[in-house]
Amino acid sequence: DEVMKRVGWIDAARYIAIFHVVFIHTLDTFSPRVLDYWVTPPTSYIPFLLNAKAAVLFFCVLLGFFAAKPRRFSARGFAEYTVKRYVQFSLFLLVSGVVYVLGAYCVTWLFHTPDEYAHRVISDGFRYNLIYILRDAFLFEANYNVTMWSMQQFFIASIICYLLGCVIYRVKPVTALLITAAAVALFLLPRSEYLSWIAFCVMGVFVRLYAENAEHFRFLDKRGARIALTLLAWFLFKFPMPECTFVFFLMAAASILLLVVCFRSPSAQKVLGQAPLPALGKLSFGVYVVHTPINSLLQSSLQPIAAGMLPAFIVTPLCFVFTICAATGCAWLLDRLHRRTAGLLFREKLAV
């Protein structure tokens, strides 16, 4: 895939987006007042930097980009892709659920200071713990790990983007553009929050269309044009409050613009291509899946201990460093497990 060879740096962009999500969730867990402070004047001009949804939308667009790889359609290929994607999501969510439940019991037993989520796990009992773990893993629900609220939409969107990739392979670029725009509109028009997140993932197909037809956009070779698009992306990112579908749509559009700029900016690709960011980017999905259980365990264990000895402005950074390091380590283990499982079942693994 020539496009993928040209954008190895995109893995680094994925990790930066997930790094942002983990940072905001840690801040919201341990120092929520900071968020309230920065989104008011005179610092309200940078509120998107304190909104995890902006990074999630960037991740959505990248998911659509990866899933929409141009290919010839076949019923067998489509069935194999669907099963592979389902197994991939289920494996990661199953491990995440087990870690979440076991961690809740261990923290409660050791420290006797469960947070609200750990308290719910204990209250449910082993029978419902198992039921909810399985439902989260195989139905893509979010009974325990609240960060997984978007997994159903991600799965559905990846299948739709796969089909759009087959369309790109067969039709002219303008026709593919119109079909993709119609698909996005189809999911946005019902004004359903659930369907809108599928639409935001499908918007990543626009980036794939650009990458496949980049020779038609020579004007972006000019630095002034790239700067103008970057400023436009900043403007679209500038209004994340209050959260609503329209604002999220603007953020997804801004993500597309930033990716288009990076495609034509050698300096951006050089910066993003610096080790170890590309390697860490391959672990992004695993970090996203496991960071919430780790944050919850820290809230139940480390925070009560450290709070009595250290001020909040020290405790929060320490918790963040521990969370991102532990989540990255767990994601590496998940990646090893996924590789082995995919090797046994399919002889390959999917990019997320």
Side-chain angles (χ1 to χ4, degrees):
D1 183 3
E2 290 299 318
V3 172
M4 291 307 298
K5 291 179 181 177
R6 295 201 304 267
V7 294
W9 52 267
I10 211 165
D11 283 319
R14 287 196 297 174
Y15 190 78
I16 291 173
I18 296 304
F19 187 91
H20 186 183
V21 172
V22 176
F23 172 72
I24 297 304
H25 286 171
T26 304
L27 200 62
D28 190 42
T29 300
F30 299 103
S31 298
R33 293 182 180 178
V34 173
L35 297 177
D36 296 333
Y37 175 79
W38 286 96
V39 297
T40 56
T43 54
S44 56
Y45 68 96
I46 57 168
F48 76 88
L49 295 175
L50 299 171
N51 190 323
K53 287 291 197 309
V56 174
L57 284 159
F58 190 81
F59 193 72
C60 286
V61 171
L62 286 176
L63 183 148
F65 168 81
F66 280 111
K69 174 183 175 181
R71 70 199 90 196
R72 187 187 300 274
F73 178 81
S74 71
R76 180 177 179 180
F78 175 68
E80 287 182 352
Y81 177 87
T82 303
V83 172
K84 289 174 185 177
R85 183 66 78 180
Y86 180 81
V87 170
Q88 180 187 37
F89 276 36
S90 295
L91 176 65
F92 278 65
L93 295 176
L94 179 63
V95 173
S96 172
V98 170
V99 170
Y100 199 102
V101 170
L102 291 180
Y105 278 98
C106 289
V107 167
T108 303
W109 179 64
L110 290 173
F111 301 100
H112 306 288
T113 56
D115 66 358
E116 59 178 308
Y117 298 113
H119 184 268
R120 183 198 165 186
V121 169
I122 303 300
S123 301
D124 287 341
F126 287 109
R127 178 184 176 185
Y128 282 99
N129 291 159
L130 179 61
I131 291 174
Y132 287 140
I133 287 175
L134 295 178
R135 287 177 60 174
D136 287 355
F138 298 111
L139 299 179
F140 304 154
E141 295 181 354
N143 292 291
Y144 282 152
N145 191 344
V146 295
T147 308
M148 299 302 102
W149 59 269
S150 56
M151 288 299 105
Q152 289 182 357
Q153 295 97 310
F154 283 1
F155 176 74
I156 295 170
S158 64
I159 304 304
I160 294 171
C161 291
Y162 175 95
L163 294 174
L164 287 173
C166 298
V167 171
I168 293 172
Y169 181 83
R170 293 179 59 88
V171 303
K172 294 181 179 180
V174 174
T175 304
L177 177 66
L178 293 175
I179 293 173
T180 303
V184 172
L186 181 66
F187 288 106
L188 286 177
L189 288 177
R191 298 185 179 182
S192 164
E193 182 179 357
Y194 184 95
L195 294 177
S196 67
W197 282 92
I198 298 176
F200 301 144
C201 294
V202 174
M203 289 174 69
V205 180
F206 291 128
V207 182
R208 174 63 72 171
L209 285 169
Y210 166 79
E212 296 290 335
N213 301 277
E215 67 276 6
H216 300 300
F217 298 87
R218 295 296 183 187
F219 71 94
L220 290 176
D221 290 334
K222 298 180 180 179
R223 182 175 297 179
R226 296 198 299 271
I227 292 174
L229 284 185
T230 302
L231 292 175
L232 177 58
W234 170 271
F235 177 78
L236 295 178
F237 263 134
K238 187 172 178 280
F239 304 102
M241 298 293 181
E243 294 184 352
C244 65
T245 299
F246 177 69
V247 168
F248 293 156
F249 174 81
L250 294 180
M251 289 183 179
S255 300
I256 293 173
L257 293 178
L258 288 179
L259 286 169
V260 167
V261 169
C262 288
F263 266 103
R264 301 304 277 258
S265 174
S267 56
Q269 295 179 24
K270 183 178 180 180
V271 171
L272 291 172
Q274 296 297 316
L277 283 177
L280 291 173
K282 299 181 186 299
L283 307 176
S284 298
F285 184 61
V287 174
Y288 179 71
V289 168
V290 302
H291 81 275
T292 301
I294 294 173
N295 247 343
S296 180
L297 297 178
L298 278 178
Q299 189 176 23
S300 298
S301 56
L302 181 61
Q303 188 188 27
I305 297 174
M309 300 181 293
L310 300 171
F313 71 87
I314 295 179
V315 173
T316 301
L318 287 176
C319 290
F320 169 70
V321 171
F322 182 89
T323 299
I324 194 67
C325 291
T328 302
C330 291
W332 183 84
L333 293 175
L334 272 172
D335 184 67
R336 299 300 100 184
L337 178 61
H338 176 218
R339 286 176 182 272
R340 288 183 175 274
T341 304
L344 291 172
L345 297 177
F346 311 114
R347 292 179 296 178
E348 63 176 307
K349 77 184 191 76
L350 296 171
V352 179

